[in-house]
Amino acid sequence: MSPIELNKRQDAILQIVKENGPITGEQIAERLHLTRATLRPDLAILTMAGFLDARPRVGYFYAGKKNTVSLTESMMNLKVKDFQSMPVIVSENMTVYDAILHIFLEDVGTLFVADKDNHLQGVLSRKDLLRTSIGSQDLNKIPVNIIMTRMPNISYCSKKDSLILAANKLIEHEIDSLPVVEETEEGLEIVGRLTKTNITKAFISLAETHDL
Amino acid sequence: MSPIELNKRQDAILQIVKENGPITGEQIAERLHLTRATLRPDLAILTMAGFLDARPRVGYFYAGKKNTVSLTESMMNLKVKDFQSMPVIVSENMTVYDAILHIFLEDVGTLFVADKDNHLQGVLSRKDLLRTSIGSQDLNKIPVNIIMTRMPNISYCSKKDSLILAANKLIEHEIDSLPVVEETEEGLEIVGRLTKTNITKAFISLAETHDL
């Protein structure tokens, strides 16, 4: 994702909204031949920067450039849901050896461990796996639930949290990834993954917004 | 590092500069009983936000709040040198086993490999080490130079680069860390380490600046 491409995409979105607003995210995505998920960060940044306004069940419309609000106030409007990635979930009985293969196969830094109802049971980082891999045990015989981080030691966030709150959790707890969860009576349902990569992308998007 | 502490520190810096400016970073650090390195990100953010101005060989002085410049223009002034971490450097002959112990001891995600003159020879990520650890070889017999990433495949940055340029390199090359180097005739001298953690901290600092 280079800066130039992203700016072009933001430009294209603005043009579509100017000509067709109010228009839903789905409809914008369709016109650009992209998925709604791909457009989320751009729409969030454009809304934050005051170029677009969004009304529930109506869609996006062009707002021009609003009176400047403070950067922090604007940044508080960047939400986890607009920047999160897909979670990669494994079961508690997977062996550590298979988990290591899985983390490479999926090319992520963290696996989440869930029960059969998709409720969060644990977190496995690349660091946890590396630590175990140099131990003397047979990696094919240890299930991940022996080495994973468990509640109440797991930091997590929700889709509606501000990206800044999530970034603070990543720094304070010195971790690379947070599960994004929905709290239900049965437990914490895993709905996403929020990483320092997501924050780094948001940082870049912020810087690119002025070129509009 | 909680938001509140950082804001207090930025407030304290502003107060000192208002009363004593022009004043050097060293002198501000001394008054706060902190190191110059600790203050770097705060000074960068305060300068970016237009509260402070800096003149080479003179120091910082209070600028009031300048006319608003665009966010990107401001963000371009955030430099790698103000946010970088200390590099952790190992020699080419270290074994993979020792490198794994070292990465835990130093609690970093990436080791840089250098020759005896501190010139960059390679990069070793937690991912490289994990991949090797599940192979069939004896980790005590493989030197890191067998598995490290070498030039010309290493992405790096310089102290004077903008943080945004560095962030773009991290995303484009799908890596967690860049060596910060000085180019000399003899090679690339390693002077720092720039990670997604540094970018995440900068993102948080940006959001905190308005509270002044």
Side-chain angles (χ1 to χ4, degrees), chain A residues 1-3 48 68 70-73 75 78 97 100-101 103-104 107 126-131 133-134 139 163-164 167-172 174 176 195-204 206-211, chain B residues 1-3 48 68 70-73 75 78 97 100-101 103-104 107 126-131 133-134 139 163-164 167-172 174 176 195-204 206-211:
Chain A
M1 188 175 72
S2 88
M48 186 212 90
T68 322
S70 78
L71 177 57
T72 316
E73 225 171 299
M75 284 179 73
L78 299 178
Y97 187 82
I100 294 174
L101 297 187
I103 212 170
F104 278 104
D107 199 18
R126 212 179 264 153
K127 198 168 162 179
D128 297 327
L129 295 170
L130 182 60
R131 189 185 298 110
S133 77
I134 58 162
L139 301 180
L163 209 52
I164 294 165
N168 266 308
K169 284 186 182 176
L170 291 170
I171 295 299
E172 273 170 33
E174 299 183 5
D176 289 324
T195 69
K196 285 178 184 163
T197 303
N198 299 136
I199 304 289
T200 301
K201 286 183 179 171
F203 180 82
I204 294 171
L206 265 182
E208 287 166 348
T209 309
H210 92 302
D211 281 319
Chain B
M1 187 176 71
S2 88
M48 185 211 91
T68 322
S70 78
L71 177 58
T72 316
E73 226 172 299
M75 283 178 74
L78 300 179
Y97 187 82
I100 294 174
L101 297 186
I103 211 169
F104 278 105
D107 199 18
R126 211 179 266 152
K127 197 168 164 181
D128 297 327
L129 295 171
L130 183 59
R131 188 185 298 109
S133 77
I134 57 164
L139 301 181
L163 209 53
I164 293 164
N168 267 308
K169 284 186 182 174
L170 291 169
I171 295 300
E172 273 170 32
E174 299 184 7
D176 289 325
T195 68
K196 285 178 184 163
T197 302
N198 299 136
I199 305 290
T200 301
K201 286 182 180 173
F203 180 82
I204 294 170
L206 266 182
E208 287 167 347
T209 310
H210 90 302
D211 281 319

Side-chain angles (χ1 to χ4, degrees), chain A residues 64-200:
Chain A
K65 190 95 179 70
K66 264 191 281 195
N67 288 336
T68 322
V69 289
S70 78
L71 177 57
T72 316
E73 225 171 299
S74 312
M75 284 179 73
M76 287 305 292
N77 291 324
L78 299 178
K79 302 297 184 192
V80 166
K81 69 176 166 50
D82 297 318
F83 293 88
Q84 73 187 33
S85 300
M86 293 294 291
V88 177
I89 301 173
V90 303
S91 88
E92 299 182 84
N93 306 321
M94 184 178 260
T95 66
V96 170
Y97 187 82
D98 285 344
I100 294 174
L101 297 187
H102 207 69
I103 212 170
F104 278 104
L105 192 70
E106 297 280 351
D107 199 18
V108 291
T110 311
L111 300 173
F112 301 141
V113 183
D115 62 19
K116 61 183 182 358
D117 297 319
N118 199 31
H119 294 129
L120 180 65
Q121 302 296 318
V123 170
L124 274 175
S125 67
R126 212 179 264 153
K127 198 168 162 179
D128 297 327
L129 295 170
L130 182 60
R131 189 185 298 110
T132 309
S133 77
I134 58 162
S136 53
Q137 294 164 290
D138 181 347
L139 301 180
N140 278 306
K141 289 188 179 147
I142 323 169
V144 292
N145 64 18
I146 303 288
I147 67 158
M148 70 189 188
T149 300
R150 294 168 173 280
M151 296 300 289
N153 298 319
I154 303 173
S155 311
Y156 55 88
C157 64
S158 96
K159 288 201 291 186
K160 295 174 202 160
D161 286 341
S162 77
L163 209 52
I164 294 165
L165 180 72
N168 266 308
K169 284 186 182 176
L170 291 170
I171 295 299
E172 273 170 33
H173 300 284
E174 299 183 5
I175 48 181
D176 289 324
S177 172
L178 293 171
V180 184
V181 302
E182 267 170 30
E183 302 193 31
T184 69
E185 280 180 24
E186 293 77 37
L188 299 172
E189 196 182 326
I190 306 170
V191 297
R193 179 170 58 96
L194 200 277
T195 69
K196 285 178 184 163
T197 303
N198 299 136
I199 304 289
T200 301

Side-chain angles (χ1 to χ4, degrees), chain B residues 102-123:
Chain B
H102 207 70
I103 211 169
F104 278 105
L105 191 70
E106 298 280 350
D107 199 18
V108 291
T110 312
L111 300 173
F112 301 140
V113 183
D115 62 19
K116 61 182 181 356
D117 297 318
N118 199 31
H119 293 129
L120 180 66
Q121 302 295 319
V123 170

